Structures are given as C-alpha cells and as structure tokens.
Amino acid sequence: MRGENLLHSVFFAQRRECGRKVEGMKLTDLLRMKLPEGKDPVNVEDFNDNFKAIDKELQTMQTAAGDASKNTVTFAAAAERTNVASTETLGTLMGKIAKWFTDMKSAAFAAIANNETTNAEGYVLDARIGKKHSDQLNGLYFGTDADGKWGFKTSQGGTVTPFRNPTGNAAAADVLSGKTFSSAEQENVTGTMPNNGAWTGETTGNGNVAIPAGYHSGGGYVSGAGAYNAGVSDADGRVNTESASYKSGYANKKLHRVAIGTGGSGTYSAASIPGFQSFTIENFAFVPSRVSRTDNHWGNPETYYKGTEANSSVTCSMSYNSSNGILTVKNLQCNNAIGESGGAGSVTGTFYCYYAA
C-alpha cells in the first residue's frame, strides 16, 4: 500500500507540473488560449482550458441576446425592393432596407387629410374622400351636344347640358382683328374689325374728311391744315392758308391775328406781340383795301379807286428782322390796269401778323 500511494503521488505531481503555464508558450490574441509548440509539454488540461474559454465566450454571446450594436457591416443597396427574410445575413438585410429607403418619395412621410379644405403642404388625401367624390359623380354621363359643346347628362341617353353656355350677340365684324370671342351663336371666333390705330387725316380747304370704319386707339386726329378759320375773311385765308403759323393754329392752339399797321411800302413793328423773336416772314400777310391812280383824261385830272378783287395782282417784297420785330415792305403795287387809260396804281391796305398760342 505504501508503494502504491507513492506512485499516485508522483503521477499527480507530474500532472501539476505539466498543467503549469510554460514560460514563452504562445497564446491567442482574443481568448488567450494556449498554443503549445516545439518542446512545450502537451497536457490535456491545456486543451480543456481552451475549450472552456470558447464555451464561456459563446455563453456570453447568448446571454447578450445577440447584441451587435458595436459591430460594423459592409453592404450594398439591393437591386430590387423585396421583403426581409429569416436567416439572412446582416449585410443582406441592410441592403434590402437601403433599397426601400432610397425608393421612398415625399408622400411616404406626408400627413393624412380627411377633409376637403386642407391645402397645407405636406398632406395627402385620405381614401375616404376619394370614395365620397366617386359617390357624387356616380350616375353622371358626359358627351357633346348638337353644336359640339362638351357637357354632362343625368342618364346615358339623356340631353347634354353644356359645361359652358356663353351669351352675347357680337359678330366677327364687331371684334378687333386678331382677337377671339364667344357668343350665343358661336365660340372661339376671330374678329375682323380693322385696327386703324392712331389714324390721322387732314382737311383741304373747307371740305370734309372721311374717317375710316374700324377700331381707333384714341391717339389719332384730323389736322386743320388747309381749313379756313371762321373768323378770318376770304382774303385773309387766301393769302395765309399755307403759312406755318396758320396750320399750327388749327392743330392744338388758337390762331391769333393782330394788325401791325395800315399803309403802303414802309416799316411796321410786331415787337409788342409776345414771342415775336420766333416769327418768320410766313407769320405776316397783307390785305389790300384800296388801289388808286390819278389820270389826266382829256386834260382833266381824275382819281380812280378800285376795291381789291380775287384777280387783283398785288405784289411787294417783305423782310422781317426777328431781333427787333420790324417788318420792312418795299415795292407795294398793283400790276392790273386801272383807269380808262390803264396803268398800274398805288396800293394801300393793312398788314397782319398771324401766330398760334
């Protein structure tokens, strides 16, 4: 018995020696499991320790209910939207989820409106509203009437009530060319009325000016050039109708006539008239009042007088100095024969200044 006990003591001593960590033995990085090599003693306890470490780590993972909060996953979005399935890898699951999120539009995050008044951004219509509208439209039929107008009817074979029923009695000639209109008789018709815009016309003498039919913008006018002023005599009008001041007087100003002197050749002043510095020779006209000639008929001196007529040929030369307002008249005479023996006569009359203001 004593020898047997000794053998047991030696055996267990050897096991303890072998179970001790040998200095320099390699260990794994994570679980620090023993990796004997070369002349390292091989002990069954080393293997047992390694399996115990693995078992403990697996037990820790189970008790943590598979917590992977600190794990990282590499994945790519799936090509198509499919549902997730059990036993799929974490990378596959994340790829499917990424595809769903990528394809989501703004409506997926919108609020629901179950009314017909909400118009705020970020709302979509509840299906119940669509059903309500469907019920309201149920039983309505659509078509065109005899004139081709679209409308609705309450029965499939009923009469069409047009959606639009314009009124009015305008014709194409009543509407400006290029514009469209609708009336009780027709729709979308293009007008034909001429567009005269800012039409202008001009009188000649005392005649009428025909205004063309059609649309006028309101900016046109009939010029008074060539018309007689009712307050001016035929003689005044005859000598002055083509003057610039006469024409401008009928455009947008009042025509004024001022006598600056009566007589024959000589000088006459218009300096008292406002704006005389802007006058030209066209502002002045002469209206003769008497033509006379003294003739010795059969030894008896006689004086003849003749009133001016439309065919009287009265000539003179006039010049105007705008700096001082002086009108100079030279060689005023009548070239028609006068008296029994004929011959030119002396002329007297009134000099007028015409201006518009």
Side-chain angles (χ1 to χ4, degrees):
M1 289 295 296
R2 296 181 65 182
E4 186 177 335
N5 292 334
L6 178 60
L7 289 173
H8 281 287
S9 298
V10 174
F11 175 76
F12 285 110
Q14 289 176 342
R15 289 186 63 183
R16 285 192 299 271
E17 182 66 24
C18 291
R20 292 181 300 167
K21 176 182 177 183
V22 178
E23 191 70 30
M25 180 180 289
K26 288 186 177 181
L27 303 174
T28 61
D29 294 332
L30 181 60
L31 300 180
R32 310 301 292 171
M33 293 187 295
K34 299 172 184 177
L35 300 172
E37 62 179 356
K39 296 181 180 182
D40 292 340
V42 179
N43 192 328
V44 69
E45 291 296 328
D46 292 336
F47 290 100
N48 291 338
D49 290 341
N50 288 344
F51 283 117
K52 289 178 181 179
I54 294 173
D55 186 71
K56 183 178 180 181
E57 186 65 23
L58 291 174
Q59 184 180 15
T60 301
M61 292 176 64
Q62 286 182 343
T63 56
D67 182 13
S69 60
K70 295 183 180 179
N71 292 346
T72 59
V73 180
T74 301
F75 67 92
E80 298 180 356
R81 292 192 300 273
T82 57
N83 200 358
V84 296
S86 179
T87 72
E88 288 182 323
T89 64
L90 190 58
T92 300
L93 294 173
M94 295 304 297
K96 288 183 174 182
I97 295 173
K99 175 61 176 174
W100 281 94
F101 276 111
T102 301
D103 291 351
M104 278 187 177
K105 306 302 180 184
S106 59
F109 306 98
I112 305 297
N114 185 28
N115 58 68
E116 296 173 292
T117 58
T118 299
N119 61 358
E121 184 178 356
Y123 281 83
V124 294
L125 198 62
D126 191 282
R128 289 170 290 181
I129 299 300
K131 178 62 168 61
K132 177 181 178 181
H133 291 170
S134 177
D135 292 341
Q136 292 171 340
L137 292 173
N138 188 28
L140 287 180
Y141 301 88
F142 304 94
T144 56
D145 63 9
D147 295 326
K149 298 177 182 178
W150 274 98
F152 66 92
K153 47 188 177 180
T154 56
S155 63
Q156 191 167 4
T159 302
V160 174
T161 301
F163 293 124
R164 296 178 63 249
N165 189 21
T167 60
N169 57 2
D174 301 321
V175 179
L176 183 63
S177 175
K179 302 295 184 179
T180 59
F181 71 98
S182 297
S183 68
E185 299 296 330
Q186 49 193 345
E187 292 189 64
N188 299 324
V189 182
T190 301
T192 59
M193 179 188 294
N195 188 346
N196 297 308
W199 177 89
T200 60
E202 181 175 323
T203 61
T204 56
N206 60 354
N208 297 325
V209 177
I211 299 175
Y215 170 81
H216 293 261
S217 67
Y221 58 88
V222 176
S223 170
Y228 287 173
N229 187 335
V232 180
S233 67
D234 289 346
D236 295 337
R238 184 169 56 251
V239 298
N240 200 50
T241 55
E242 298 304 319
S243 70
S245 60
Y246 185 89
K247 294 178 180 179
S248 66
Y250 280 92
N252 53 16
K253 298 178 182 179
K254 181 179 179 182
L255 182 66
H256 298 268
R257 184 183 71 165
V258 177
I260 60 174
T262 299
S265 298
T267 58
Y268 302 87
S269 177
S272 62
I273 302 174
F276 71 89
Q277 294 90 343
S278 63
F279 294 164
T280 66
I281 194 63
E282 289 189 340
N283 288 83
F284 299 93
F286 173 70
V287 179
S289 58
R290 187 180 68 171
V291 178
S292 63
R293 182 178 183 277
T294 301
D295 186 20
N296 189 349
H297 178 66
W298 300 106
N300 300 318
E302 296 176 353
T303 300
Y304 296 89
Y305 300 93
K306 184 177 182 180
T308 57
E309 298 177 355
N311 61 355
S312 296
S313 177
V314 177
T315 61
C316 69
S317 62
M318 293 191 300
S319 61
Y320 179 67
N321 186 337
S322 60
S323 62
N324 58 16
I326 297 299
L327 175 70
T328 301
V329 181
K330 296 181 179 180
N331 302 320
L332 178 61
Q333 61 185 5
C334 176
N335 295 323
N336 286 0
I338 187 171
E340 291 187 5
S341 60
S346 62
V347 180
T348 58
T350 303
F351 292 90
Y352 290 97
C353 176
Y354 295 84
Y355 65 97

